[in-house]
């Protein structure tokens, strides 16, 4: 552990021998295609399938009425939020196929199954739908106005909930007494995960055992099995097997239970043949969850010394047309509770109104609430510095939680276990060479360019737990993780984990933990995940939880293996078990030269002819579940330098520095890779990515890579990475989540840098993405004032 070991899984990925859902071809496999609404809002009068059913190769066409008649349930939401008046949130039904009304472009209305994809596509074109168009609303701010069309009768004003957290009275008192008040209006742009692998799923029904196997590109197979059993297909849980093979990127978007998983399962059961559905890219933009999509007004109250005495946040957050699995938690629990961030402000209040719009549902995406919270805080701190005349670094120094205050209880939910913010800030400024910025700015100016320096200090809560606390805040599922260790008779080790890897490097990192603890060769460790038939019930991968929870459960099982090994070794060495210790793959007796290696103990465990059967069972296999006492709290400072061309508005990110405290790092190379990926996505949100709908028709105008701008290699600089490593106290590995940091701090750091470059020209506000056109217009408007 602690070494930059090369990722063992990458060999199959870079050589094209990975096995994704699309690579799985089952005997007698058929193909499904979804017919989707081309209206943003309309009454669904009739779905005519007769012509499609009669076409060559077509096996079936299903509608919402067919599923309803078969007793198929609706897609569930797994997090309950209570409005501030005590009323429950609005929870309208989310049908697998639309019934009575469609509510966004792409809403599924029928499912065609045919022998080939070409035949299914042709039949889908033959399905005719009788729509009666209704007024629609895709703009978040417009959706809460009195004249906005209503999506759901059970959600007056299009509100899912009107929620709050914090001490409103204390905040109002702080603002009344404030020496200065800073207010910003912010838009956190609607973005899409756009993983390399689109979603795909296969349903395979075994009529002999009456058992369904679902292959799906998903991050948490056990949760999908549970939801299919309880909510949608309503099969007995043991009659469902879910397999998530190699997954080509998830970023949170592949956590949820989607309609297509139900459709292929239902069709496979009806047809008694496997049914496969693979999304095309343009279809993915109409069916995958989107993210962010906030409109916020936020204010700081400051005293005469620039110390923040109050924080007030008021946010509108889009839910889309339906509630996705964890949608309601993202702009409430995961956005508001982290709001104090690294700052010592004690009076905090946040109000969030979750709003239904005629758009694809919104849910978690890398960072999930924490990027939005960090963006609010850091834009406020920059604005306050500008308005009060304080240096941007100095105003942060005056407000950071001091090192001697830890463990630090925030005014909201969290208690930060460890931290040293001032030291990390100093280190970040040093690594980023802030001292040399003036010279670099001068060189840029000489070339006709504007250079800006920006940064964002973030404090993240990740690695969800404990289960009891989360249940009290609305979560419907436990948040522990399982780790099972099987030492095989030949001395190889098989690890079965409930977490799922789709780019994080579990097959390498978990093997490093095993090799360190048991002393077995790294190459002799196999990691198994993503199959509910092979792995005990686990929760899955999201929210930077895999190492903190899954790795800790693994370590606990390894400790149990060692403890049993000590008992076996004591028998073999005729010693008291209390005198036997284990290190570097060998059991030894204190005060003697007696020892036995791990391989000999394994052999004894599986060959019990010289074995105390009355004291120990044969075999060497252990299972543990880890439910943490609290979240992990990584933090860091990300610094960015940009050059802006004032003639074209083009922004080029020239330098990016990330200095973070992730606690113990099992594999620093993988940590750096996670940071690089997050930074790329943070830059993408800040400069390029935006979901756009036509204001009249509700049509998605950014529904392909021709219209939805993704970051390219030329948009992302080399990222300078450095660390402060204070071990976490909330898990036995001392680790903190690292996978989301770049996406959390990245947007705020980039926007900070661009506005620093443009401030001399009078530009103090621009909303993401900072496209060349937006920057150019901002400069022209400032020049006209």
């Amino acid at each position: 552990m602690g070494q930059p070991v090369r990722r063992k899984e990458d060999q199959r990925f870079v050589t094209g021998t990975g096995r994704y859902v699309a690579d799985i071809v089952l005997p007698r496999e058929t193909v499904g295609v979804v017919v989707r609404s081309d209206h943003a809002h309309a009454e669904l009068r009739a779905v005519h399938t007769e012509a499609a059913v009669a076409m060559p190769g077509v096996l079936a066409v299903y509608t919402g009425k067919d599923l309803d008649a078969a007793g198929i349930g609706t897609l569930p939401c797994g997090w309950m939020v209570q409005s501030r008046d005590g009323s429950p949130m609005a929870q309208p039904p989310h049908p697998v196929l639309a019934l009575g009304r469609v509510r966004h472009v792409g809403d599924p209305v029928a499912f065609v199954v045919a022998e080939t994809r070409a035949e299914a596509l042709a039949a889908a074109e033959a399905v005719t739908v009788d729509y009666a168009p209704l007024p629609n609303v895709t703009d978040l701010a417009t959706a809460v106005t009195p004249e906005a069309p209503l999506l759901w009768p059970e959600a007056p004003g299009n509100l899912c909930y009107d929620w709050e957290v914090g001490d409103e009275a204390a905040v109002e008192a702080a603002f009344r007494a404030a020496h200065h008040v800073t207010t910003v209006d912010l838009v956190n742009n609607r973005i899409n995960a756009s993983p390399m692998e689109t979603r795909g799923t296969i349903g395979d029904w075994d009529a002999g055992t009456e058992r369904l196997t679902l292959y799906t590109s998903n991050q948490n197979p056990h949760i999908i099995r549970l939801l299919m059993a309880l909510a949608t297909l309503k099969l007995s849980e043991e009659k469902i097997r879910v397999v998530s093979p190699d997954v080509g990127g998830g970023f949170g978007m592949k956590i949820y239970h989607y309609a297509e998983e139900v459709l292929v399962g239902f069709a496979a059961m009806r047809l008694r043949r496997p049914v496969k559905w693979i999304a095309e890219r343009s279809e993915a933009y109409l069916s995958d969850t989107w993210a962010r999509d906030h409109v916020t007004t936020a204010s700081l109250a400051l005293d005469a010394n620039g110390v923040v005495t109050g924080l007030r946040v008021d946010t509108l957050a889009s839910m889309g047309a339906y509630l996705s699995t964890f949608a309601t938690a993202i702009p409430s629990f995961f956005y508001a509770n982290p709001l104090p961030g690294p700052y010592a402000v004690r009076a905090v209040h946040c109000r969030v109104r979750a709003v239904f719009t005629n758009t694809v549902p919104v849910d978690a995406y890398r960072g999930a609430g924490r990027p939005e919270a960090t963006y609010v805080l850091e834009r406020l701190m920059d604005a306050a510095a500008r308005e009060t005349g304080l240096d941007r670094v100095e105003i942060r120094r005056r407000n950071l939680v001091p090192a001697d205050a830890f463990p630090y209880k925030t005014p909201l939910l969290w208690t930060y276990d460890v931290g040293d913010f001032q030291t990390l800030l100093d280190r970040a400024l040093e690594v980023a060479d802030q001292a040399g910025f003036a010279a670099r700015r001068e060189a840029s100016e000489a070339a006709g360019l504007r250079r800006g320096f920006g940064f964002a200090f973030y404090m993240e809560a990740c690695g969800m737990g404990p289960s009891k606390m989360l249940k009290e805040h609305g979560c419907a599922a436990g948040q522990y993780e399982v780790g099972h260790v099987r030492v095989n008779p030949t001395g190889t080790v098989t690890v079965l984990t409930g977490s799922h890897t789709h780019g994080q490097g579990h097959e390498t990192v978990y093997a490093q933990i095993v090799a360190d603890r048991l002393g077995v060769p790294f190459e002799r460790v196999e990691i198994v995940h993503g199959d509910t038939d092979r792995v005990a019930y686990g929760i899955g991968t999201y929210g930077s939880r895999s190492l903190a929870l899954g790795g800790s459960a693994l370590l606990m099982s390894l400790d149990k293996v060692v403890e049993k090994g000590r008992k076996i070794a004591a028998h073999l060495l005729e010693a008291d078990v209390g005198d036997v210790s284990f290190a570097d793959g060998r059991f030894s007796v204190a005060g003697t030269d007696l020892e036995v290696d791990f391989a000999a103990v394994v052999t004894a465990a599986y060959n019990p002819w010289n074995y105390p059967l009355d004291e120990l069972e044969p075999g060497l296999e252990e299972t543990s579940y880890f439910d943490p006492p609290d979240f992990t709290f990584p933090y860091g400072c990300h610094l960015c330098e940009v050059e802006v061309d004032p003639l074209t508005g083009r922004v080029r990110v020239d330098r990016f520095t990330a200095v973070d405290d992730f606690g113990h790092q099992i594999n620093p190379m993988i940590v750096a890779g996670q940071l690089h990926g997050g930074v790329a996505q943070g830059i993408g949100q800040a400069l390029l990515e935006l979901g756009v709908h036509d204001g009249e028709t509700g049509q998605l105008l950014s529904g392909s890579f021709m219209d939805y701008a993704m970051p390219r290699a030329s948009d992302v600089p080399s990222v300078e990475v450095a660390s402060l490593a204070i071990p976490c106290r909330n898990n036995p590995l001392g680790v903190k989540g690292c996978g989301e940091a770049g996406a959390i701090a990245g947007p705020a750091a980039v926007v900070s840098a661009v506005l620093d470059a443009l401030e001399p020209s009078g530009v103090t506000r621009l909303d993401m993405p900072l496209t060349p056109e937006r920057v150019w217009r901002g400069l022209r408007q400032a020049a006209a004032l």
Side-chain angles (χ1 to χ4, degrees), residues 430-750:
E430 176 190 353
V431 175
D433 186 25
Q434 186 200 31
F437 172 71
R440 293 191 294 274
R441 170 174 268 182
E442 186 176 337
S444 296
E445 293 285 351
L449 303 173
R450 312 282 175 80
R451 179 176 282 264
F453 183 91
F455 51 91
F457 209 119
Y458 76 93
M459 182 79 193
E460 182 187 356
C462 59
M464 291 172 63
S467 296
K468 181 180 179 182
M469 181 264 281
L470 291 166
K471 173 65 175 176
E472 293 169 352
H473 287 83
C475 183
Q479 293 297 320
Y480 49 84
E481 198 48 84
V482 65
H484 181 93
V485 175
R486 179 184 302 144
V487 183
N488 300 306
T490 58
T492 62
V493 179
T494 300
V495 172
L496 299 103
T497 175
S499 62
H500 185 278
T501 180
H502 39 275
Q504 293 87 348
H506 295 180
E507 293 176 36
T508 301
V509 173
Y510 286 177
Q512 287 181 261
I513 297 172
V514 174
D516 244 29
R517 189 69 182 100
L518 298 185
V520 301
F522 171 80
E523 297 76 17
R524 288 169 63 80
V525 181
E526 177 196 21
I527 310 300
V528 176
H529 64 92
D531 187 338
T532 60
D533 268 11
R534 296 191 66 186
V535 179
Y537 184 88
I539 306 303
T541 293
Y542 47 84
S544 300
R545 71 190 304 275
S546 293
L547 190 55
L549 276 73
S552 295
L554 168 59
L555 184 64
M556 291 164 63
S557 290
L558 291 169
D559 288 343
K560 291 178 182 178
V561 166
V562 170
E563 182 59 26
K564 184 174 182 179
R566 287 178 63 243
K567 295 175 182 178
I568 298 171
H571 175 75
L572 296 176
L573 298 172
E574 299 180 345
D576 188 283
V577 68
D579 293 330
V580 177
S581 61
F582 180 72
D584 300 322
R586 304 189 71 82
F587 295 91
S588 58
V589 180
T592 75
D593 60 357
L594 297 176
E595 64 177 22
V596 62
D597 65 17
F598 185 71
V601 168
V602 173
T603 299
Y606 284 98
N607 297 280
W609 48 72
N610 183 22
Y611 193 89
L613 287 172
D614 56 332
E615 300 175 19
L616 293 170
E617 296 176 353
L620 201 51
E621 190 166 351
E622 299 288 350
T623 300
S624 299
Y625 292 84
F626 180 65
D627 194 331
D630 208 334
F631 282 53
T632 73
F633 299 100
Y635 59 93
C637 186
H638 290 195
L639 306 98
C640 176
E641 287 188 35
V642 301
E643 284 188 326
V644 181
D645 186 337
L647 298 179
T648 65
R650 184 177 183 273
V651 176
R652 184 180 71 87
V653 180
D654 184 52
R655 298 160 64 100
F656 200 101
T657 303
V659 180
D660 306 87
D661 179 359
F662 296 133
H664 283 152
Q665 296 186 20
I666 308 300
N667 189 315
M669 181 177 67
I670 288 179
V671 170
Q674 289 289 302
L675 271 171
H676 294 170
V679 167
Q681 289 173 298
I683 291 173
Q685 179 176 10
L687 299 181
L688 300 162
E689 301 179 47
L690 180 64
V692 181
H693 295 83
D694 183 90
E696 293 186 9
T697 66
Q699 295 293 324
L700 180 65
L701 302 180
S702 52
S704 75
F705 285 153
M706 293 294 291
D707 308 295
Y708 186 87
M710 295 284 287
R712 304 185 182 197
S714 58
D715 297 309
V716 183
S718 178
V719 179
E720 184 76 19
V721 173
S723 297
L724 190 70
I726 303 176
C728 177
R729 297 176 181 173
N730 294 331
N731 61 75
L733 285 168
V735 299
K736 307 171 189 178
C738 70
E740 299 170 284
I744 289 171
V750 173

Side-chain angles (χ1 to χ4, degrees), residues 11 71 84 185 213 325 371 391 402 411 459 461 481 569 578 606 700 718:
Q11 179 67 22
R84 56 185 187 153
D185 294 311
T213 297
T325 311
D391 177 78
M459 182 79 193
E481 198 48 84
Y606 284 98
L700 180 65
S718 178

Side-chain angles (χ1 to χ4, degrees), residues 152-214:
W152 297 100
E154 54 265 68
N158 289 321
L159 288 183
C160 172
Y161 57 75
D162 183 348
W163 175 87
E164 67 178 353
V165 67
D167 188 336
E168 188 173 17
V171 169
E172 292 305 317
F175 274 84
R176 286 194 300 270
H179 177 77
H180 180 82
V181 172
T182 291
T183 298
V184 295
D185 294 311
L186 304 171
V187 174
N188 207 291
N189 41 324
R190 183 181 179 92
I191 56 177
N192 189 278
S194 304
M196 284 195 292
E197 179 210 26
T198 60
R199 284 190 303 113
T201 186
I202 306 170
D204 184 21
W205 176 250
D206 186 326
T209 61
E210 295 186 327
R211 199 159 187 261
L212 175 70
T213 297
L214 182 82

Side-chain angles (χ1 to χ4, degrees), residues 169-469:
V171 169
E172 292 305 317
F175 274 84
R176 286 194 300 270
H179 177 77
H180 180 82
V181 172
T182 291
T183 298
V184 295
D185 294 311
L186 304 171
V187 174
N188 207 291
N189 41 324
R190 183 181 179 92
I191 56 177
N192 189 278
S194 304
M196 284 195 292
E197 179 210 26
T198 60
R199 284 190 303 113
T201 186
I202 306 170
D204 184 21
W205 176 250
D206 186 326
T209 61
E210 295 186 327
R211 199 159 187 261
L212 175 70
T213 297
L214 182 82
Y215 301 90
T216 188
S217 181
N218 188 271
Q219 299 174 212
N220 37 276
H222 281 97
I223 297 297
I224 300 305
R225 183 182 70 168
L226 178 66
L227 296 179
M228 293 181 83
L230 291 178
T232 53
L233 288 180
K234 301 177 183 177
L235 292 174
S236 182
E237 190 173 2
E238 79 277 3
K239 293 294 185 179
I240 304 172
R241 176 192 181 194
V242 177
V243 179
S244 294
D246 289 331
V247 172
F251 312 118
M253 183 274 289
K254 291 180 181 175
I255 296 172
Y256 322 114
H257 188 22
Y258 284 95
E260 295 82 8
E261 292 165 334
V262 185
L263 292 172
V264 297
F266 174 78
M269 292 164 63
R270 285 294 180 95
L271 299 172
R272 301 198 170 195
R273 291 179 62 181
V275 179
K276 174 187 281 186
W277 171 84
I278 303 292
E280 294 183 342
R281 182 63 63 181
S282 58
E283 184 180 21
Y285 280 114
L286 296 176
S287 59
D288 295 349
T289 56
W290 287 67
R292 314 299 194 240
D293 203 357
H294 285 195
V295 174
T296 295
T297 297
S299 300
L300 287 181
L302 300 101
D303 69 13
N305 296 315
V307 173
V308 177
T309 58
L311 169 64
R312 180 170 54 208
V313 179
D314 191 342
T315 293
L316 297 175
S318 178
M319 294 287 97
Y322 304 97
L323 297 180
S324 178
T325 311
F326 294 116
T328 50
I330 308 308
S332 55
F333 185 90
F334 290 103
Y335 164 66
N337 284 307
L339 269 175
Y343 304 115
V345 55
R346 301 304 301 170
V348 179
H349 181 261
C350 178
R351 178 191 183 191
V352 177
R353 284 167 286 172
V355 184
F356 290 110
T357 61
N358 292 115
T359 62
V360 180
V362 173
D363 212 314
Y365 166 66
R366 199 170 193 167
R370 281 70 52 89
E372 298 94 312
T374 299
Y375 191 68
V376 169
L377 279 174
E378 295 306 284
R379 288 292 301 275
L380 276 169
M381 294 301 282
D382 275 2
R386 183 180 65 251
E387 293 172 7
T388 60
L390 284 171
D391 177 78
R392 289 180 298 160
V393 174
E394 179 58 28
I395 195 171
R396 287 169 169 84
R397 285 197 190 281
R398 296 183 186 186
N399 287 283
L400 290 172
V401 176
D404 60 6
F406 290 89
Y408 176 76
K409 176 66 177 75
T410 75
L412 301 181
L413 181 62
W414 310 124
T415 297
Y416 303 153
D417 55 336
V418 292
D420 189 345
F421 298 160
Q422 297 282 0
T423 298
L424 186 136
L425 178 57
D426 290 339
R427 176 71 173 137
L429 295 171
E430 176 190 353
V431 175
D433 186 25
Q434 186 200 31
F437 172 71
R440 293 191 294 274
R441 170 174 268 182
E442 186 176 337
S444 296
E445 293 285 351
L449 303 173
R450 312 282 175 80
R451 179 176 282 264
F453 183 91
F455 51 91
F457 209 119
Y458 76 93
M459 182 79 193
E460 182 187 356
C462 59
M464 291 172 63
S467 296
K468 181 180 179 182
M469 181 264 281

